[in-house]
């Protein structure tokens, strides 16, 4: 086991954090060497297996990421933008692969990751699943094939705990659609409609966000023209698909040179 890549999970107590821990523990290709929580969290100092309601696994939750990263080959991070930026600097110091599934990052925050990518591998994606990344490629191709007679709308649905909208995946799909049309998403995005908004602007890419219940993740890309519609769809029913994708990225990154990558690179799409 000692020769397997060591993985640290940040945000250990969160739903994705716990799923990631479970996925690494069950893997025969990696080992869990650290679990991070914020200072003052009641999990800090506990064995992470016990904190999750199970048996001891020999890894204690810590609020010292630098110490944990120093003994790891990869960090998997589904937290918040400010935390991810701080983790990126520490992961770069440790020369550990930094897999980022954090959503809600601004363009400025994403750009701020760039210095760390000179020293370590960073794999960042709005969604880690194979299906969604295939959907991204298809969205770009369909957008490139159709002209602006087709309105584009990205429709996403998630559980009621999700704090950001549109989702990172929806924005990733919007970027793909914009690239297919040869424009920048920032110039054509329509992200808010309320009241008398007027007619839809030709060429805009719209976003609709639904929040409710325990929806894991649903994404549609609608291409609508007079008399016809094309819908590309991905439905996630189990968030373990994201954890498996993130672990795949962490393992893939072991053989890469420092730089910024995404799941399209990991999956060879």
């Amino acid at each position: 086991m000692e020769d397997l890549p060591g993985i640290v999970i940040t945000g250990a107590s969160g739903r994705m954090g716990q799923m990631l821990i479970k996925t690494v523990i069950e893997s025969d290709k990696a080992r869990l060497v650290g679990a991070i929580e914020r200072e003052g969290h009641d999990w800090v100092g506990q064995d992470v297996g016990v904190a999750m309601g199970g048996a001891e696994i020999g890894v204690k939750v810590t609020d010292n990421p630098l110490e944990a990263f120093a003994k790891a080959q990869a960090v998997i991070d589904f937290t918040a933008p400010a935390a991810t930026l701080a983790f990126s600097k520490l992961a770069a110091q440790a020369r550990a692969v930094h897999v980022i599934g954090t959503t809600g990052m601004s363009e400025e925050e994403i750009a701020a990751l760039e210095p760390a990518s000179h020293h370590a591998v960073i794999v960042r994606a709005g969604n880690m699943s194979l299906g969604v990344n295939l959907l991204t490629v298809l969205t770009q191709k369909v957008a490139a094939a159709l002209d602006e007679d087709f309105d584009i709308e990205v429709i996403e649905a998630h559980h009621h705990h999700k704090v950001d909208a549109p989702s990172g995946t929806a924005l990733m799909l919007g970027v793909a659609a914009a690239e297919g049309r040869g424009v920048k998403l920032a110039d054509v995005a329509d992200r808010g409609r309320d009241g008398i908004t007027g007619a839809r602007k030709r060429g805009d890419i719209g976003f609709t966000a639904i929040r409710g219940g325990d929806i894991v993740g649903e994404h549609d890309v609608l291409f609508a023209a007079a008399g016809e519609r094309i819908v590309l769809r991905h439905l996630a029913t189990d968030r373990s698909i994201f954890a498996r994708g993130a672990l795949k990225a962490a393992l893939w990154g072991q053989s890469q040179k420092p730089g910024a990558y995404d799941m399209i690179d990991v999956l060879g799409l």
Side-chain angles (χ1 to χ4, degrees):
M1 284 288 290
E2 291 298 319
D3 59 339
L4 297 178
I7 311 290
V8 171
I9 305 299
T10 64
S13 70
R15 288 195 292 179
M16 268 309 302
Q18 294 188 52
M19 180 61 72
L20 287 161
I21 289 167
K22 183 174 182 289
T23 300
V24 174
I25 290 172
E26 292 176 351
S27 171
D28 61 358
K29 297 179 180 178
R31 57 195 173 95
L32 184 71
V33 296
I36 308 296
E37 258 305 341
R38 64 187 181 277
E39 185 177 353
H41 194 281
D42 59 8
W43 278 30
V44 174
Q46 293 191 58
D47 184 280
V48 71
V50 174
M52 290 173 58
E56 288 191 6
I57 62 172
V59 175
K60 286 189 175 182
V61 180
T62 179
D63 58 9
N64 186 342
L66 183 57
E67 181 180 355
F69 291 3
K71 54 188 177 184
Q73 282 69 57
V75 176
I76 304 180
D77 175 20
F78 284 65
T79 53
T84 291
L85 289 176
F87 290 144
S88 72
K89 297 173 184 177
L90 300 179
Q93 288 182 40
R95 301 300 190 264
V97 174
H98 189 187
V99 177
I100 301 172
T102 301
T103 60
M105 298 187 74
S106 67
E107 291 186 11
E108 291 76 16
E109 288 166 333
I110 293 170
L113 294 170
E114 195 265 342
S117 71
H118 295 310
H119 305 285
V121 171
I122 293 179
V123 181
R124 190 192 70 83
N127 193 298
M128 297 285 174
S129 84
L130 170 61
V132 161
N133 283 277
L134 180 58
L135 177 61
T136 302
V137 173
L138 293 173
T139 295
Q140 182 175 357
K141 290 183 179 297
V142 173
L146 302 175
D147 61 23
E148 291 184 350
D149 286 341
F150 282 82
D151 297 317
I152 302 176
E153 188 83 7
V154 181
I155 306 154
E156 54 101 343
H158 285 87
H159 53 86
H160 59 216
H161 296 292
K162 189 167 179 60
V163 298
D164 58 307
S167 69
T169 302
L171 293 172
M172 185 170 73
L173 293 167
V175 168
E179 289 176 348
R181 284 192 165 169
V183 297
K184 291 184 178 180
L185 180 61
D187 296 333
V188 297
D190 181 2
R191 293 177 56 169
R193 304 186 189 113
D194 186 21
I196 307 301
T197 60
R200 183 186 180 115
K201 183 180 176 182
R202 180 179 171 86
D204 274 1
I205 297 173
F207 293 86
T208 301
I210 298 166
R211 296 289 176 268
D214 61 354
I215 301 170
V216 173
E218 301 178 0
H219 295 87
D220 289 355
V221 185
L222 169 67
F223 297 84
E228 61 180 329
R229 287 176 291 172
I230 300 166
V231 181
L232 305 178
R233 169 173 286 185
H234 180 269
L235 305 179
T237 58
D238 185 341
R239 59 179 39 86
S240 66
I241 63 173
F242 312 130
R244 292 195 300 270
L247 178 56
K248 183 180 181 71
L251 297 174
W252 176 86
Q254 301 302 308
S255 60
Q256 307 306 313
K257 295 179 180 179
Y261 304 90
D262 59 24
M263 284 300 289
I264 301 294
D265 298 313
V266 175
L267 299 171
L269 296 174

